[in-house]
Amino acid sequence: MEELQNTLQNWGLCVSNSPEKGRCLITSKDFSTGEVIISQEPYVCASNNSPTELRCDACYSSANLKKCSACQVVWYCGSSCQKLEWKLHRLECIALSKLDKERRKFVTPSIRLMVRLYLRRKLQNEKVITATATDNYILVQALVAHMKDIDEKQLLLYAQMANLVSLILQWPDINIKEIAENFSKLSCNAHTICDSELRPLGTGLYPVISIINHSCLPNAVLVFEGRLAVVRAVQHLPKGAEVFISYIETAGCTMTRQRTLEQQYFFTCSCLRCSKVQDDIQESAILEGYRCIDDKCNGFLLRDSADQGFVCQHCGRLRSKEEVKKLAAEIRATSEKASESMSSDSKREAISIYKSIEKLQRKLCHPFAISLMQTREKLLKMLMEQEDWREALSYCKLTIPVYQKVYPEFHPLLGLQYYTSGKLEWLLGDTEDAMKSLTKALDILRITHGTKTPFMKELMMKLEEARAEASYKLLSKDDD
């Protein structure tokens, strides 16, 4: 612990202990908005490979992949990535190669992550891989497992997974109970590795970053540069401040967020946002409630005292329970059709059904409702896949006001939505609008992502091109 504290001190950080929350990360210097607080390579990681989506195990590229000829499980994009992983994969490869083809199908990313955890510990113990203050198995041991909070069904699943890991490794003195406990630690402490556009690529365990606690109003954000986890400040952090990131999707009411945190992480959040009870009543009614029957009114609705319906808190109009139930039933029935259509080959049919859902939700839900936003996001994605840029842009623009409401000023998802809007506007020749959207995207994403990644360089290049084209069009008008 002393060695870790000394290393963190160089970052301007220290680990503290709280009776309520356990370990936490505290600043020992000021951090400015956008500044990197800490970065860490994973102790272990594994790509989220599936039969439909394969990635290089080292860099997560999906191009020029070749399967490891021995184990037939792992993929690499080239010899440089294979060499980078060889010390660890050599042992993993030997272990996986002993499995028959049928058993190899059960080697999920979670199983691989656990196998690699034990192999890395072995290699560090044998001095094949160097252990450091921020990269050692002792840090993994210090993570909380929450074994007492897990139900019997989950414990049984962890035990079965532990037995498979034991079968793969074939170590005579391996501790099955410890493996099961480590699966629980991974569930609570591992992070989803995403690309710059927050698309999931794999899972990694970052023991020091796992010390950072959660807040629904975080002062920092976790992003990834390849496999490197980077935590950046999204506001000024004075010396002595606790660093907070968000563990979950925060675009929901307090009840939804608390339920998610309790089920997955076994704690109740007491951040400023969660402690405002009165604000949460209004927040719930807006994000997960109904709209006023007057289309021109954006007031939120609360159940009336006589339980006959829902009353608009702005204009006082009553919306009957029967009407709400009828619309909700129509949405459920249409959503079932949508699920069936997604499994078929007819993308146009799926788009048509989701448009019907969106129309019904506009009648029932508050304009800022999360469910309505999610439907529009699905339509945006499907329309972009169909290269219907104009209609995709219309749905993208409808989501942005909701993003502005549910996310703080510097949130990567808000920046990425502006980026999507800018790209679509650029494709459609709306240069001035593209320039405005890309500028807003850059203002946010340079704080959350920095400026050095290929993604950010591409964004800055697009913005420069849009500005140059806008200037050219302006000059052409002046000449005319």
Side-chain angles (χ1 to χ4, degrees), residues 6 23 43 91 185 189 219 279 356 407 435:
N6 291 336
R23 294 186 303 166
Y43 185 73
L91 296 184
K185 286 181 180 181
N189 293 283
N219 53 24
D279 286 356
S356 299
Y407 296 121
M435 187 175 67

Side-chain angles (χ1 to χ4, degrees), residues 151-164:
D151 61 39
E152 270 189 49
K153 188 177 177 182
Q154 192 63 44
L155 284 171
L156 180 60
L157 177 61
Y158 287 156
Q160 290 169 341
M161 292 165 73
N163 277 310
L164 180 53

